[in-house]
Amino acid sequence: MSYALVQYCLCRLPIPHLERLGHLNIPFALHAAPFQFLQKHHSAFGFAWVERLVWRTHDLHKPYNFLRPELLLAQESSSQRLVAILTIMPGEDYIRHYASMLEVAQHAGAIHPNDGTIHCVLYPHLTQSIMTWTGLTELSANVEPGDIVVLGFVAELLPRFASLVPTSRVVWRQDSPYYGLVRLELRPGLVFSLVGAKYSYWGNLGGRVVTELAARRPRAICYVAKQGTLLSPDDIHCRIYSPTRYCVFDKGQACWRGDDHPAIPTNPLSSKFPTFDRGLHVSTPTIVEQDVEFRTQLETHGAASIDNELAQMARALTDLHEDNPSMHRIQLLPIMFITDYLRGPEELEMAVPFDLTSRNQTVQRNKELFLARAAHLVLEAFDVIQRPKAVIVGTGYGVKTILPALQRRGVEVVGLCGGHNRAKTETVATKHKIPCVDIPLEQLQASHGANLLFVASPHDKHAALVQEALDLGGFDIICEKPLALDKATMGHFIDQARRSPQLCLINHPLRFYPPLIHLKTATKEPTNILSIDIRYLTKRLAKLIHWNPCFSKAAGGGMMLAMATHLLDLIEWLTESRLAHDSVKSISTSNSIAPLTNEDAQLAKAPDVESAFKMSGYCPPSTKYSIDCDGAADTELFSVTINLANEDELRFIQRKGSPILLEQRCGGREWLPFKVSLEHRIRDGSPWQVSFQYFVEELVEAICMSKRSAFVDKATGFEDYVRQVGLFGSRVGIV
């Protein structure tokens, strides 16, 4: 914020026009009235005529929040002098906001008022009656008592609500010069009234909008918008905030504290997802005052986030509750997208990936992701859908990959089960506010409603955990490889899974990885694929300096059991075929790991499993494949090369620390990049980590919306996994 204030102000003002007016000695003033009003009543305010100057800072294709200040040229009736007028919507804080931006532009030397003073003309009657003349008073009459009013990104949320609840229906639609209203019935007795404003209800105008709508006695008001954080720049575009405590600042001082008012509205999401409540939220009249000095002051109040409207909305509802103590209190549900970080004095040189002025494809993709999550959260807050409650077994991959992916989707992790190092498990659980540590599944299911299990424990413990969850019932199960270490147990699991209505899946996420989806799309048809060559090289085994179960066949170790089904599953997905036992033509293995000692002993053990393997064969009808996998390589590389029937070639390459490459070449000529867009910042990590994030996104939506059968068709179930293991199982001791 403070870092980009000048740029923010300059891009929201007609600087080239104001500079030209200054050179022509034409004075300008700020008028708190819309253009249409001045055009209609110009003579009453001493102007012979007013005309628009062409200047747009907004997107006219947006259905809401597109009306912006206008720059006018006018002639005074008395003196015949030409003057420029910057018109804005009336509203105390909005007037102060634009006046402060003009001051910043003047201080930066971008504009030069003739007398050095920026004049502001107020229209008090317009400010006082804005809810009436803009039509909100009339439009709000169609909001029914008990509705849930949605404000903010309403145009973007409407299709997402409709998609997530296919049985929903629009029961009322209304449009006016300044607003739009859509009433969406999600089920009998539950209606969302989505109210969009075509202008910016900045600062205390947000409170006045809420006051007008609250007069209709809705059940709740939901505000989905953007804000800044004071906690960490890592939260930008990555975390959702949903505050419960508010404070309004004016002229640098706290003028209203929600903590002083018992009638403050409650947040219906806070009890379900308390981690979204990051602390005190502050609203200020302007952006300009949000500088490094103000940051220092906010820290003394313990502020966590900042914007211009939200605390004003909370204040408006609190005032209404206090004036009407017998009324049913209206809830306030804020779901906020973090777009910037307010720096402290010592952080002026800190670089952040996005700020107030960021406008690019990555920003838009991140916003789309936020809106998808926000739609889910709103529906969950009012029990339209319910997210699963997860248990993770394993503190290695479980904590590094599974836990953040679930948190990213707002899934509550109610239990974490570790191994012999309970202190480590408790530390992780405390850090991430996981309530239960090493509690049996049956107890977690009974006490916390656990219904989603991720098995990422040591390989030889998987079978017992899967069996326990299957016997209990009610758990969707996502298991790391291997499912079990013998065919009989896996066959038993297949029989139980067939009878279960729950998901019984193996974590094979590569088919959800966007670069590989682009690669598959480029093949056009699976029948076009002549050959697939896959290489996976990693240092993961070479980095181990002590004995580990991954070096033991009895413990389910070895690179084949860890990686072969991942890569075979990728081949099946690319070719849309099923590999049969006779499709494998050759398998070779090798080991380059020397004997290693235990951490607490000097006795060295030699691995009895492979550190590398190669496989080749054919999949129906005639596609040749080859796999080269080395777990003790001296580099990190994952590549997939596809040869097509037309002699074109496609390839995906990902090296650690380097950009992802998606390339194609025709007839043996040079490799050229695909013309596709890939996410960069928020999807950092290995292909398995990142693809798992996408896997979880679709998994959670499928569970929430009872679309398990559709997700099963996209994922890898127990039966498919067991068939894949059967292609090489005898080589790794699975009999």
Side-chain angles (χ1 to χ4, degrees):
M1 292 174 184
S2 52
Y3 181 82
L5 276 179
V6 174
Q7 185 181 357
Y8 171 86
C9 295
L10 296 183
C11 72
R12 278 157 178 77
L13 295 170
I15 297 299
H17 294 79
L18 294 177
E19 287 179 336
R20 193 171 301 115
L21 291 167
H23 293 148
L24 295 172
N25 293 319
I26 297 176
F28 75 88
L30 184 67
H31 283 243
F35 163 71
Q36 294 85 350
F37 176 82
L38 288 178
Q39 186 181 47
K40 183 177 181 180
H41 302 289
H42 64 271
S43 60
F45 294 99
F47 298 113
W49 51 264
V50 295
E51 295 291 341
R52 271 192 179 112
L53 292 177
V54 178
W55 169 61
R56 296 289 182 189
T57 63
H58 51 284
D59 183 359
L60 292 176
H61 299 290
K62 291 167 59 177
Y64 299 120
N65 195 22
F66 63 85
L67 293 177
R68 289 292 184 270
E70 301 271 8
L71 184 61
L72 313 180
L73 189 64
Q75 185 180 53
E76 294 178 341
S77 300
S78 57
S79 65
Q80 304 299 303
R81 184 180 66 156
L82 291 178
V83 296
I85 298 172
L86 185 63
T87 68
I88 63 172
M89 289 291 286
E92 294 90 341
D93 288 354
Y94 202 44
I95 295 167
R96 292 167 64 182
H97 172 58
Y98 262 87
S100 66
M101 289 197 297
L102 286 167
E103 287 180 343
V104 169
Q106 183 182 19
H107 183 73
I111 59 173
H112 304 278
N114 292 83
D115 59 1
T117 303
I118 296 171
H119 296 278
C120 183
V121 180
L122 305 181
Y123 297 77
H125 63 293
L126 289 181
T127 302
Q128 293 165 7
S129 61
I130 187 170
M131 296 297 108
T132 301
W133 63 261
T134 59
L136 185 60
T137 302
E138 178 183 354
L139 179 135
S140 64
N142 293 299
V143 175
E144 296 291 335
D147 282 5
I148 293 165
V149 173
V150 181
L151 302 173
F153 291 119
V154 296
E156 296 88 345
L157 288 170
L158 177 60
R160 289 172 170 82
F161 289 148
S163 174
L164 290 169
V165 188
T167 56
S168 62
R169 65 189 184 100
V170 174
V171 295
W172 181 263
R173 192 184 294 270
Q174 184 177 353
D175 192 62
S176 72
Y178 288 99
Y179 303 97
L181 167 65
V182 177
R183 296 186 72 238
L184 182 71
E185 183 184 68
L186 291 108
R187 62 174 182 241
L190 180 63
V191 175
F192 282 5
S193 281
L194 294 94
V195 179
K198 299 177 184 180
Y199 66 96
S200 174
Y201 44 77
W202 187 278
N204 65 335
L205 273 181
R208 295 188 62 183
V209 167
V210 163
T211 297
E212 195 69 32
L213 293 167
R216 298 296 301 161
R217 299 300 191 265
R219 172 181 168 186
I221 291 179
C222 173
Y223 183 49
V224 183
K226 57 188 179 181
Q227 67 177 24
T229 179
L230 283 75
L231 298 182
S232 170
D234 293 336
D235 289 354
I236 298 175
H237 290 196
C238 291
R239 297 199 68 162
I240 286 176
Y241 286 24
S242 186
T244 60
R245 299 173 55 235
Y246 308 95
C247 184
V248 176
F249 270 71
D250 189 23
K251 298 178 181 177
Q253 301 296 321
C255 64
W256 181 86
R257 296 178 178 86
D259 290 347
D260 299 333
H261 299 268
I264 193 168
T266 59
N267 181 337
L269 197 66
S270 61
S271 61
K272 297 174 186 264
F273 302 108
T275 56
F276 290 143
D277 182 7
R278 304 282 285 159
L280 180 69
H281 178 84
V282 167
S283 293
T284 65
T286 73
I287 288 287
V288 169
E289 63 196 286
Q290 297 175 9
D291 56 17
V292 293
E293 288 78 13
F294 188 55
R295 159 65 188 260
T296 302
Q297 182 180 357
L298 291 180
E299 286 180 341
T300 65
H301 291 266
S305 55
I306 189 168
D307 81 333
N308 303 103
E309 295 81 33
L310 178 55
Q312 293 281 8
M313 295 178 175
R315 182 182 189 175
L317 289 177
T318 302
D319 290 346
L320 179 67
H321 296 160
E322 291 177 342
D323 293 341
N324 301 272
S326 62
M327 73 174 286
H328 179 76
R329 292 190 178 179
I330 300 168
Q331 296 176 311
L332 177 61
L333 171 57
I335 298 180
M336 310 303 285
F337 180 42
I338 304 303
T339 58
D340 202 4
Y341 174 66
L342 183 57
R343 294 166 175 79
E346 72 285 357
E347 299 173 319
L348 288 177
E349 301 304 318
M350 175 188 290
V352 297
F354 309 104
D355 58 35
L356 287 169
T357 63
S358 298
R359 299 287 188 276
N360 55 47
Q361 287 186 343
T362 302
V363 171
Q364 185 59 34
R365 285 194 297 271
N366 295 349
K367 180 182 174 182
E368 291 294 321
L369 178 61
F370 160 75
L371 290 167
R373 297 173 66 194
H376 266 284
L377 287 172
V378 174
L379 294 173
E380 289 175 79
F382 300 107
D383 298 319
V384 180
I385 60 177
Q386 293 186 346
R387 291 198 178 210
K389 294 186 177 182
V391 178
I392 299 174
V393 183
T395 55
Y397 179 83
V399 169
K400 182 180 179 181
T401 300
I402 297 175
L403 178 59
L406 292 174
Q407 290 175 328
R408 180 184 174 88
R409 298 307 300 160
V411 173
E412 182 183 6
V413 178
V414 299
L416 179 65
C417 303
H420 63 279
N421 191 343
R422 182 179 175 87
K424 175 184 176 182
T425 309
E426 289 178 341
T427 299
V428 173
T430 300
K431 177 181 178 181
H432 295 282
K433 298 182 180 180
I434 300 172
C436 300
V437 172
D438 291 340
I439 301 296
L441 292 181
E442 184 176 12
Q443 186 175 336
L444 285 168
Q445 188 179 56
S447 62
H448 286 75
N451 54 9
L452 175 59
L453 173 65
F454 287 87
V455 178
S457 60
H459 290 180
D460 55 348
K461 304 293 193 296
H462 288 190
L465 290 161
V466 171
Q467 185 65 70
E468 182 181 0
L470 286 169
D471 290 344
L472 284 171
F475 276 99
D476 291 304
I477 303 169
I478 314 299
C479 185
E480 285 297 306
K481 304 96 36 227
L483 179 59
L485 298 181
D486 65 276
K487 288 183 178 179
T489 300
M490 289 194 289
H492 177 62
F493 289 164
I494 290 173
D495 292 338
Q496 284 189 278
R498 286 171 177 166
R499 298 192 298 269
S500 173
Q502 308 301 125
L503 295 172
C504 296
L505 304 175
I506 297 296
N507 179 20
H508 278 165
L510 288 178
R511 54 176 66 193
F512 296 86
Y513 194 34
L516 294 177
I517 293 173
H518 286 303
L519 188 74
K520 180 178 180 178
T521 301
T523 67
K524 294 185 171 60
E525 292 291 339
T527 54
N528 292 335
I529 301 175
L530 293 181
S531 68
I532 301 174
D533 299 298
I534 300 176
R535 294 188 73 203
Y536 177 58
L537 309 179
T538 177
K539 302 177 183 179
R540 60 198 255 187
L541 296 183
K543 291 189 293 186
L544 297 173
I545 60 175
H546 295 291
W547 178 261
N548 186 286
C550 67
F551 299 131
S552 168
K553 181 180 292 188
M559 283 302 287
M560 281 195 74
L561 200 53
M563 298 307 305
T565 58
H566 270 303
L567 306 178
L568 292 170
D569 186 73
L570 177 60
I571 291 168
E572 290 190 342
W573 173 70
L574 288 169
T575 60
E576 297 182 6
S577 64
R578 291 161 61 93
L579 296 174
H581 196 273
D582 59 0
S583 68
V584 180
K585 300 305 179 184
S586 68
I587 299 177
S588 62
T589 62
S590 61
N591 174 53
S592 61
I593 304 295
L596 296 169
T597 61
N598 292 330
E599 292 184 27
D600 55 355
Q602 296 301 312
L603 182 63
K605 291 185 179 181
D608 61 354
V609 293
E610 72 291 334
S611 64
F613 69 90
K614 294 182 180 181
M615 299 179 69
S616 64
Y618 289 87
C619 52
S622 59
T623 300
K624 182 180 179 181
Y625 69 84
S626 67
I627 297 171
D628 181 0
C629 179
D630 188 349
D634 58 2
T635 188
E636 299 282 346
L637 169 71
F638 180 36
S639 68
V640 181
T641 303
I642 297 176
N643 289 279
L644 301 177
N646 62 0
E647 297 186 356
D648 287 356
E649 296 173 85
L650 310 169
R651 71 179 181 185
F652 153 83
I653 302 175
Q654 185 166 356
R655 292 183 175 89
K656 188 173 182 178
S658 299
I660 294 171
L661 297 178
L662 274 174
E663 299 178 319
Q664 59 186 352
R665 68 175 176 180
C666 304
R669 295 193 290 271
E670 66 175 320
W671 289 98
L672 298 173
F674 281 23
K675 293 182 179 180
V676 297
S677 297
L678 295 176
E679 293 187 66
H680 295 291
R681 179 180 178 272
I682 64 169
R683 300 297 173 110
D684 290 339
S686 74
W688 280 266
Q689 289 174 314
V690 178
S691 60
F692 184 76
Q693 293 176 8
Y694 288 97
F695 172 83
V696 166
E697 287 172 15
E698 296 198 33
L699 168 71
V700 171
E701 181 172 343
I703 294 173
C704 288
M705 301 310 301
S706 299
K707 296 179 180 178
R708 287 176 173 83
S709 59
F711 188 72
V712 166
D713 293 339
K714 296 186 67 174
T716 305
F718 285 3
E719 191 165 356
D720 283 334
Y721 170 77
V722 173
R723 176 179 49 76
Q724 292 164 354
V725 171
L727 301 177
F728 62 88
S730 61
R731 298 291 296 265
V732 294
I734 294 183
V735 293

